[in-house]
Amino acid sequence: MAQPRYLTGDKAGIEEFIDKFDSFLFDCDGVYILAPNLTPARNILMVGVLWSGDHLFPKVPEVLEMLRSKGKQLVFVTNNSTKSRADYKKKFDKLGIPAEVNEVFGSSYSAAIYISRILSLPSPKNKVFVLGESGIEAELESENVPYVGGTDPSLRRDITPEDFAAIADGSMLDDDVGIVLSGLDFHVNYLKLAIAFAYLRRGAQFLATNTDSTLPMAHAFFPGAGSVGAPLVKSIGREALALGKPSQAMMDAIEGKFKVDREKTCMVGDRLNTDIQFGIEGKLGGTLMVCTGVNSKEDILGEGKPIVPAAYVDSLGDLMG
Ligand code: PLP
Ligand code: CA
């Protein structure tokens, strides 16, 4: 089995690798930061490609600038559904990395454009029940997709006997909901799951922003978006169509929007079962793993490894040679 090429310290190899591509798709995070002042001083997980929390990995702005100066197209592709593209732009600004809103492609935006432009259910049956946070709502609004649920405070409570009855007889349900969109919801509860399940039973389309099993946070790993939506998968007995990495629905949307030539595109990421799988399944010209993230060299070297990138570096900054 072909082993990945180690590019750290290999100046000629790096140049040859970069020259093969016109476009680079970058994973960004990193850990989810709840509140910067809650970040522990010790035992912090340093996980990511460009940054981890509020920590920028060394020479990241220089690498992006070097690629831009060579005329490469950059797209920042994230599975984080809790943030909109505008939120990401603010994060880039805060860390001093030049980037445009239009260069960001998140799983919430991917879901919003899938709903509005591909699924394209006739109004008013295109309403979405959201299991998730404000990033999903913002991106649905950007595509003029109507929604209910989400951050609605009236759903952040225990289910009552009256709720069971009102869900069962439909009086608590919106007849226009034709889609259930599941993402990371920090306020998930039985009431929301019961409502989402009722819509699915009525035949609503089942979509997910992403199905990551885990969420890296500063302290440790926590349940990810896929784990939040898992009770629905179990109860309804079918999988959601995921619109984040490694789903090829996301790759198709990126190809359509940015006009990338797959053979001349490289996916750069830290997680094998999302980022690298995304690039391999999408038949991109290359995949590059950074070892500052979820997976390590041990996961890709040796025989019988299921997901192997074309090349790897210890840290993204090593591309400066
Ligand atoms: N989902 C959430 C809520 C996150 O905070 C993150 C990373 O911080 C992810 C998913 C994974 O995102 P990415 O694909 O950018 O690694
Ligand atoms: Ca990542």
Side-chain angles (χ1 to χ4, degrees):
M1 195 176 172
Q3 293 296 303
R5 185 166 179 184
Y6 182 49
L7 292 178
T8 292
D10 177 1
K11 220 171 164 49
I14 291 170
E15 213 170 302
E16 187 193 315
F17 188 80
I18 291 174
D19 281 350
K20 284 199 281 197
F21 307 109
D22 293 340
S23 304
F24 285 82
L25 311 183
F26 277 96
D27 172 40
C28 314
D29 292 78
V31 292
Y32 182 88
I33 290 284
L34 197 53
N37 59 353
L38 286 182
T39 302
R42 285 180 299 127
N43 301 328
I44 298 177
L45 275 178
M46 296 295 289
V47 180
V49 175
L50 306 180
W51 63 72
S52 179
D54 284 334
H55 170 89
L56 196 59
F57 287 109
K59 297 192 197 158
V60 163
E62 288 90 333
V63 169
L64 299 180
E65 175 50 34
M66 175 269 288
L67 294 173
R68 287 189 197 280
S69 73
K70 289 175 182 278
K72 312 292 182 189
Q73 169 170 243
L74 309 185
V75 184
F76 302 102
V77 185
T78 176
N79 270 3
N80 183 353
S81 69
T82 65
K83 301 248 184 321
S84 64
R85 287 164 299 151
D87 294 329
Y88 261 83
K89 165 69 177 148
K90 281 188 211 140
K91 177 86 184 189
F92 276 96
D93 289 349
K94 186 175 166 194
L95 293 173
I97 313 174
E100 300 301 324
V101 171
N102 269 334
E103 292 174 316
V104 181
F105 203 95
S107 61
S108 287
Y109 179 60
S110 181
I113 62 173
Y114 181 83
I115 290 166
S116 68
R117 304 183 198 186
I118 296 172
L119 211 50
S120 207
L121 296 183
S123 174
K125 298 286 179 194
N126 61 343
K127 200 179 267 185
V128 179
F129 178 79
V130 175
L131 189 66
E133 299 291 336
S134 61
I136 299 181
E137 295 175 328
E139 296 297 14
L140 290 175
E141 282 163 25
S142 79
E143 286 290 305
N144 296 314
V145 175
Y147 63 86
V148 289
T151 59
D152 180 350
S154 73
L155 298 180
R156 291 186 180 171
R157 60 179 175 78
D158 287 349
I159 194 165
T160 64
E162 292 74 26
D163 292 327
F164 280 107
I167 292 169
D169 71 15
S171 58
M172 200 170 167
L173 304 179
D174 184 327
D175 285 342
D176 291 339
V177 168
I179 298 157
V180 169
L181 175 58
S182 162
L184 186 62
D185 188 334
F186 291 117
H187 305 87
V188 63
N189 59 31
Y190 195 87
L191 176 61
K192 292 188 196 181
L193 290 172
I195 294 172
F197 178 62
Y199 285 127
L200 293 172
R201 295 255 305 171
R202 286 179 160 202
Q205 305 260 355
F206 189 12
L207 308 179
T209 53
N210 61 308
T211 51
D212 299 25
S213 56
T214 55
L215 167 69
M217 286 184 79
H219 327 62
F221 284 88
F222 284 81
S227 304
V228 167
L232 293 177
V233 175
K234 177 87 177 171
S235 51
I236 200 68
R238 58 186 154 102
E239 296 287 332
L241 171 67
L243 280 313
K245 297 172 286 185
S247 165
Q248 292 306 302
M250 190 188 218
M251 187 67 86
D252 292 344
I254 290 172
E255 184 179 39
K257 175 166 172 155
F258 298 97
K259 309 283 173 249
V260 296
D261 173 349
R262 292 193 190 214
E263 281 202 355
K264 295 192 135 265
T265 299
C266 177
M267 175 72 209
V268 185
D270 68 296
R271 190 163 178 151
L272 291 169
N273 67 3
T274 56
D275 306 323
I276 303 305
Q277 182 69 16
F278 183 59
I280 293 171
E281 262 184 54
K283 301 200 166 31
L284 298 188
T287 50
L288 176 68
M289 182 174 121
V290 297
C291 296
T292 50
V294 171
N295 290 106
S296 59
K297 285 179 198 184
E298 291 70 51
D299 299 321
I300 57 171
L301 298 179
E303 290 308 307
K305 304 294 178 185
I307 307 170
V308 180
Y312 67 107
V313 282
D314 293 335
S315 176
L316 188 67
D318 296 349
L319 291 183
M320 291 311 289

